[in-house]
Amino acid sequence: QERLVESGGGLVKPGESLRLSCEASGFAFSDHYMNWIRQAPGRGLEWISFINDGGSSSFYADSVKGRFTVSRDNTKKSLYLQLSSLRREDTAVYYCARESEGNWFDLWGQGVPVTVSS
Amino acid sequence: QSALTQPASVSGTPGQSITISCSGTSSDVGDYNYVSWYQQYPGKAPKLMIYDVSNRPSGVSDRFSGSKSGNTASLTISGLQAEDEAVYFCSSYTSISTYVFGPGTKVTVL
């Protein structure tokens, strides 16, 4: 069964850092582009980051550029998101999502909550 | 990149057809056939319902259909059922190699 499982979320103070992980199973992880998408409480979805299959190319939303870093380890079938200089507005559920052969997200994790509060 | 525009809510009675619009610009919806739609129940992860404007993934009911005209995409749900009550998000690839979502439309089955 194809699955994505996020971990690493929690409560942090403004300015602190956090590293999220997303472990894949049931499919060829190294063949797929991956993305991070977040959802603030009671709000819509916000795409925040993309990384290609080999990890050599990445893109970010303006809201997180320079503060968040996406990476992957294909040997561990894992995707990561390093969150730095966190702000209250970064409070959200963070999803990792597999990008299909085209430009859509066909497999999502269950999400991991991040709360930024003093 | 500005978010796409969707109505906050749409409602219908069982058996009725409803349509949710998703408006973008010539830099996203209007420039690419990479519009997708997602269904989300409270507390759950989104689920892909439509990709590439009008294609349904395996397992998604044929009551769901998508289309696009210019800078506006649409999701139509035919034969509305109680289980269709959820929030629906549209998404588009953009000219700067990013993705943008709409704010979501809550579908209520009366």
Side-chain angles (χ1 to χ4, degrees):
Chain A
Q1 181 186 7
E2 299 180 331
R3 199 173 177 209
L4 296 169
V5 179
E6 301 96 336
S7 61
L11 173 63
V12 295
K13 292 181 171 56
E16 293 186 342
S17 298
L18 202 60
R19 189 196 197 202
L20 306 182
S21 299
C22 169
E23 186 170 351
S25 60
F27 66 96
F29 179 72
S30 59
D31 288 349
H32 290 271
Y33 297 172
M34 296 295 294
N35 292 260
W36 287 98
I37 296 161
R38 69 184 180 183
Q39 186 170 31
R43 303 291 296 274
L45 300 170
E46 179 188 14
W47 173 86
I48 57 172
S49 182
F50 155 94
I51 188 167
N52 70 347
D53 49 355
S56 61
S57 179
S58 59
F59 294 95
Y60 300 91
D62 288 344
S63 59
V64 305
K65 198 175 295 182
R67 300 188 300 121
F68 290 8
T69 303
V70 63
S71 61
R72 64 191 295 162
D73 184 336
N74 286 342
T75 64
K76 296 182 178 179
K77 301 187 77 172
S78 291
L79 174 73
Y80 306 102
L81 187 68
Q82 179 69 40
L83 291 67
S84 303
S85 302
L86 281 161
R87 305 167 180 168
R88 288 182 176 80
E89 55 265 34
D90 295 318
T91 294
V93 173
Y94 286 72
Y95 295 99
C96 62
R98 184 179 73 182
E99 190 170 321
S100 68
E101 295 174 4
N103 298 92
W104 63 89
F105 311 110
D106 64 343
L107 180 67
W108 297 64
Q110 85 287 355
V112 61
V114 172
T115 302
V116 184
S117 176
S118 54
Chain B
Q1 193 75 27
S2 299
L4 304 175
T5 301
Q6 295 180 238
S9 63
V10 172
S11 62
T13 56
Q16 202 175 17
S17 290
I18 61 169
T19 297
I20 302 168
S21 61
C22 171
S23 296
T25 70
S26 56
S27 296
D28 39 64
V29 174
D31 203 22
Y32 301 94
N33 286 326
Y34 296 143
V35 176
S36 52
W37 290 89
Y38 303 86
Q39 176 191 63
Q40 187 180 39
Y41 293 114
K44 300 295 186 182
K47 174 189 174 184
L48 177 68
M49 303 300 285
I50 294 287
Y51 66 93
D52 284 356
V53 174
S54 59
N55 294 289
R56 270 188 317 276
S58 173
V60 172
S61 171
D62 60 4
R63 298 185 298 102
F64 291 85
S65 62
S67 63
K68 190 187 87 166
S69 177
N71 294 341
T72 300
S74 298
L75 173 72
T76 297
I77 308 175
S78 306
L80 196 63
Q81 299 180 2
E83 68 201 48
D84 301 331
E85 189 161 294
V87 178
Y88 294 83
F89 295 92
C90 61
S91 175
S92 175
Y93 184 70
T94 79
S95 60
I96 54 172
S97 302
T98 63
Y99 289 92
V100 63
F101 283 91
T105 297
K106 179 170 174 51
V107 169
T108 302
V109 181
L110 301 170

